[in-house]
Every structure is written in structure tokens, then in C-alpha cells.
Amino acid sequence: RILHASVARPRAVRGIFNAIKRREARVAQQALERVNKVQMMRRYRIGDLPDIEIKHEEIIGPIVILAERDSAFSNILVTLICRAVYSLPPDKYHPNEHELK
């Protein structure tokens, strides 16, 4: 079918604008997916028995990464750590040792 130039031009322009809007929406969606991407920090064993031995670094590692990415969480974390350290009774902590009794 042959369309008159005055009819075909607005349709073409409308099609271009729609394609641009779809592309912008796709780029925005991809950016949102990148921001909200979850990264697994630990692998779990497959089988009948669950993991019952969790190392300290497997707990601390994700907390450190979260503190590096979120300043509000970092401030809360430092506050909680300082409160916990200062609330220890003197007989539970020895400055020459690195571990609690």
C-alpha cells in the first residue's frame, strides 16, 4: 500500500520516538538490575546435612562489604562495635591477648 507523504512521515517519526523510548526504558531497567544484583558470598554444600560449621570470615566478610557500600550501615556498625567494646567488663578483656576469655 502506498501512503501519502504527509501521512507516512508522522508515522515514521512516531516509530522512531517509540523506539527511542523503548531503548531508554531498557537501559534504565538494566541499570536498576545492576544496582539490585545479589552476589553470593558463600557456597553451601549440597546433600542431606546442612552446613553447621560456619567460619568467622564467612559472617564478617558480607558485613564488611555492606559497610563499604552503605555509609549509613557503616556508621551504625562502628557505633555498635564501640559500644560493645566499651561495655566489656575489665576481667573479660586482656590488652595483651587478641581474644576474649
Side-chain angles (χ1 to χ4, degrees):
R1 163 177 160 193
I2 299 174
L3 296 175
H4 190 271
S6 63
V7 175
R9 200 171 304 149
R11 284 187 183 173
V13 171
R14 202 173 322 127
I16 291 171
F17 282 130
N18 288 339
I20 290 171
K21 285 182 183 179
R22 283 193 306 269
R23 182 178 184 279
E24 289 174 351
R26 188 177 67 244
V27 168
Q29 180 66 27
Q30 288 172 345
L32 186 62
E33 288 173 0
R34 265 194 311 276
V35 169
N36 293 328
K37 182 180 177 185
V38 174
Q39 178 182 359
M40 292 298 291
M41 300 300 300
R42 163 173 213 277
R43 296 193 189 274
Y44 294 93
R45 286 187 296 195
I46 298 173
D48 295 335
L49 300 175
D51 285 336
I52 57 172
E53 293 181 15
I54 299 175
K55 300 175 188 171
H56 290 126
E57 58 263 14
E58 292 174 345
I59 295 172
I60 295 172
I63 294 173
V64 169
I65 291 173
L66 180 58
E68 289 174 349
R69 293 183 182 181
D70 187 359
S71 62
F73 178 77
S74 178
N75 289 337
I76 293 169
L77 183 63
V78 169
T79 303
L80 290 173
I81 290 172
C82 290
R83 284 184 186 168
V85 168
Y86 287 121
S87 69
L88 285 176
D91 62 333
K92 294 289 184 184
Y93 180 75
H94 295 282
N96 298 334
E97 296 179 12
H98 296 300
E99 295 182 4
L100 295 176
K101 279 188 177 179

